[in-house]
Structure formats: C-alpha cells, structure tokens
Amino acid sequence: MEQRVYSLPLIGDPAPSFKAVTTKGVINYPEDYKGKWSILFSHPADFTPVCTTEFMTFAKRHQEFRDLNTELVGLSVDALQSHIQWLRSLEDFEYRGIKNAKVDFPLIVDITMEVSRLYGMIHPNADATHAVRAVFIVDPKGIIRTIFYYPASAGRNFDELIRIVQALQYSDKHKVATPADWQPGDDAILPPPATTAAAIDRMNDKEAKCQDWYFCFKEIKE
Ligand code: BEZ
C-alpha cells in the first residue's frame, strides 16, 4: 500500500483559493462566493451511474440549497466537453421521479487534478486517477465548516446535506449546538459550560431543560 504524507484543508481552515474553468465559465473560489454559503463537491467521473443519480438529485434540489443562501460547485477530473455532454444526457433519464434534470450550477474541469489535490479529493489507495465523493461546506467568510468523504460506490444523502447546512446556520445564529438527528424545529443543545460558575448558572436557568449541568436542551423561538 502506498504511504505518503498528504496535506488537506481541515474544518476551521480558510478554503484554499483557486481559479478554475467550469461549465459556467471561469470561477475564483471561494472569493466569488463571499457572503454566501457554498458546497464544493467532487464526483469520480462523468458518465457513471451513481454520479448520474447524484447530479439528477442536485438538479432537483438546487432551489432548496439556494433558499438556504447556498451555492453548489461540482468538480471532476473530466474535460469540459465530457461535462457538457454528460450534463445534457441527464435530461433524458428518470430517477426516483426526477425527469428532465437541468444542472444550473458550475462543474469544474480539473483534468490537471490541481484543485482535487489541493482539497485532498484524490485518495490514491482508493483510486489514483479519479476523485472520491468529497464535500466541503464553506461559510460566507470562506471558512470550511464541514467535510464529508464518501467512496465511489455510495451516493450521497441529500437530506443530510441540506440538514447540515441548516444546522450550521442555526448554530451560528443562536450560538447553540444541535443534537443527534436534529431537525429544524427541534430543541437546541446548550454548549458545555466553560467554568464551574457557568455550570451552576446553567442549572438555575429556568429556560434551559437540564438533565445535568452539562446536558441541557433549550427551545429556541425563531
Ligand atoms: C458511479 O458513479 O457509478 C461510479 C463511479 C466510479 C466508480 C464506481 C461507481
């Protein structure tokens, strides 16, 4: 097995900057997306079945991301002509009731693998010539807030992609955390108190639903 040292951006890091050709023209990332959330994601290859279902689903749910002030940016190591032909072909398929799928977000042409290497999307022991399914969720200040990696064989869960953006935005707005399987409308989690005095205050907070000093929920009225 190949052993190498890789450098890849981590949660809390500024998203590495790059300029790239896409199906929507040249983009400067993340600069062009300042003030918006963005999801930079990779797929292994055009004209492959799992990726086809993912792009049809991205097309269907694009407006839901937009409603969350969130832009989508795809990437694979394929050429521009391949991207264009593949995206056109999606319109002819049907998957889970999705028909006539039109992809209206940029798909990066990364034949040189410059961007995919910059973001640690190439996992050589899985596949040295294609990206894995990586997802980087970047906030309006250009900071990486969540990273997911999936293997080529497993398509992503779009309910979770939307839920994590909602959870990040909710945590930022209300300065709270979100519990396992949190959904909008559920109680928040109060982050653990940082001092003994704060722990005592927390237990006396009538609005906090505490089971112990470190295990408190709170209903947030939006
Ligand atoms: C797919 O998208 O179907 C796929 C791509 C690469 C390897 C395996 C599956």
Side-chain angles (χ1 to χ4, degrees):
M1 185 170 288
E2 197 175 336
Q3 297 289 334
R4 284 200 222 150
V5 175
Y6 300 102
S7 128
L8 56 140
L10 301 176
I11 290 175
D13 291 351
S17 295
F18 63 83
K19 187 173 177 177
V21 172
T22 82
T23 49
K24 296 270 187 191
V26 172
I27 61 166
N28 287 291
Y29 190 87
E31 287 71 20
D32 291 351
Y33 295 84
K34 284 274 160 69
K36 287 177 178 279
W37 290 77
S38 61
I39 301 184
L40 174 67
F41 67 95
S42 56
H43 69 278
D46 299 347
F47 297 103
T48 53
V50 177
C51 303
T52 295
T53 62
E54 288 192 321
F55 269 68
M56 291 175 74
T57 311
F58 270 124
K60 179 188 173 206
R61 303 196 69 171
H62 192 180
Q63 190 57 46
E64 290 177 68
F65 289 104
R66 281 193 176 131
D67 290 346
L68 293 168
N69 188 31
T70 302
E71 297 295 331
L72 303 173
V73 183
L75 173 152
S76 81
V77 302
D78 297 288
L80 181 61
Q81 287 73 16
S82 165
H83 280 349
I84 292 170
Q85 274 193 23
W86 179 53
L87 295 182
R88 282 168 60 88
S89 77
L90 305 184
E91 297 181 25
D92 299 332
F93 300 135
E94 179 170 356
Y95 171 66
R96 284 179 165 250
I98 307 169
K99 291 181 193 167
N100 199 22
K102 288 190 168 40
V103 171
D104 191 27
F105 56 82
L107 178 48
I108 294 170
V109 175
D110 192 35
I111 328 179
T112 58
M113 295 191 183
E114 257 172 73
V115 181
S116 38
R117 289 209 174 101
L118 185 65
Y119 274 80
M121 293 166 168
I122 307 289
H123 295 199
N125 290 319
D127 185 337
T129 56
H130 298 95
V132 293
R133 298 182 201 283
V135 179
F136 289 83
I137 300 183
V138 175
D139 73 15
K141 293 182 179 148
I143 302 296
I144 295 172
R145 300 291 299 276
T146 297
I147 302 171
F148 296 127
Y149 287 115
Y150 297 73
S153 60
R156 285 163 272 220
N157 182 299
F158 286 73
D159 288 337
E160 174 57 9
L161 293 182
I162 287 169
R163 191 199 74 100
I164 184 65
V165 173
Q166 290 170 326
L168 291 165
Q169 294 180 351
Y170 183 81
S171 289
D172 285 2
K173 183 173 175 191
H174 299 291
K175 308 288 175 251
V176 291
T178 51
D181 288 337
W182 176 88
Q183 292 289 340
D186 289 350
D187 283 352
I189 286 263
L190 295 181
T195 62
T196 47
I200 292 164
D201 287 350
R202 177 71 57 83
M203 292 301 284
N204 293 327
D205 179 348
K206 295 279 176 282
E207 286 182 22
K209 302 174 190 171
C210 291
Q211 298 180 40
D212 204 340
W213 63 271
Y214 69 92
F215 193 46
C216 299
F217 293 79
K218 191 166 190 172
E219 185 182 345
I220 306 282
K221 298 202 172 58
E222 292 263 16

